Amino acid sequence: KKFRTLPLFGGRGAKEGGAPASSSTLQNLLGMRETAAFVQNGLGFVLDAIESYKNLLNWTHPKKTAMVYAVAIAIWLAFVILPGRIIILTIGLFEFLKKFIFGVMPPPDPNVKNGFILDNLVASIPNDEDLRVAYTNEANALQAAKLSVQRRKRRR
């Protein structure tokens, strides 16, 4: 039996299909370029989300950070005071009985992405690049004001 090579990166298997090797190589290069762009965009999205989480916890948006810390402290206090089995039982009962407690459930909010409200919270927090772009004009104005003060001092 002869093993057939796969037509990856212009190998011998590319000539078997009837297309010239240079054409196959060019298609592979273009495909690699598209794949690299896809990976780069995916990594950019993940890193932007990580920066947004970082900015959520370092007081970039004080009201939202205070809310996150208050919820974290409330959850910590609940776990300190109440036994874990009571908390798990309460969460389970709430999930199964919320339809009876609140009556007919309203349709999901179309503004909430994927039904997960934390995604919207993180999406509303700017990443470092957004902050740099937003404060560029203020930084330029501050730099111009500093330069004018220094020029006035030199004239005296």
Side-chain angles (χ1 to χ4, degrees):
K1 284 185 176 179
K2 277 189 168 181
F3 292 103
R4 197 176 78 141
T5 59
L6 295 175
L8 296 175
F9 306 113
R12 283 183 279 150
K15 294 180 183 176
E16 294 173 7
S22 62
S23 171
S24 177
T25 304
L26 182 61
Q27 289 175 352
N28 284 330
L29 287 175
L30 290 175
M32 287 176 21
R33 187 174 167 192
E34 290 174 7
T35 303
F38 177 76
V39 169
Q40 185 178 11
N41 289 337
L43 286 174
F45 176 75
V46 169
L47 292 175
D48 285 346
I50 290 171
E51 282 181 355
S52 293
Y53 279 109
K54 177 196 71 153
N55 289 340
L56 179 63
L57 299 176
N58 73 1
W59 299 97
T60 300
H61 196 289
K63 288 181 183 178
K64 291 180 182 178
T65 302
M67 180 183 65
V68 167
Y69 283 135
V71 167
I73 289 171
I75 290 172
W76 174 75
L77 282 173
F79 276 109
V80 167
I81 295 171
L82 300 172
R85 64 179 184 267
I86 301 287
I87 295 171
I88 293 172
L89 177 67
T90 305
I91 291 171
L93 284 174
F94 177 75
E95 284 297 319
F96 289 111
L97 298 177
K98 66 182 171 184
K99 184 174 182 179
F100 298 114
I101 294 172
F102 298 114
V104 177
M105 295 298 290
D109 188 3
N111 297 326
V112 175
K113 181 174 61 175
N114 298 331
F116 193 56
I117 205 160
L118 188 61
D119 285 344
N120 287 339
L121 176 68
V122 172
S124 68
I125 302 293
N127 58 24
D128 293 341
E129 180 65 20
D130 295 339
L131 290 173
R132 186 187 65 75
V133 168
Y135 291 115
T136 298
N137 292 337
E138 290 182 25
N140 291 340
L142 182 63
Q143 185 67 24
K146 285 182 181 178
L147 285 175
S148 66
V149 168
Q150 288 176 354
R151 288 180 186 153
R152 281 189 224 139
K153 286 182 180 179
R154 287 181 192 161
R155 290 179 190 164
R156 291 180 188 176

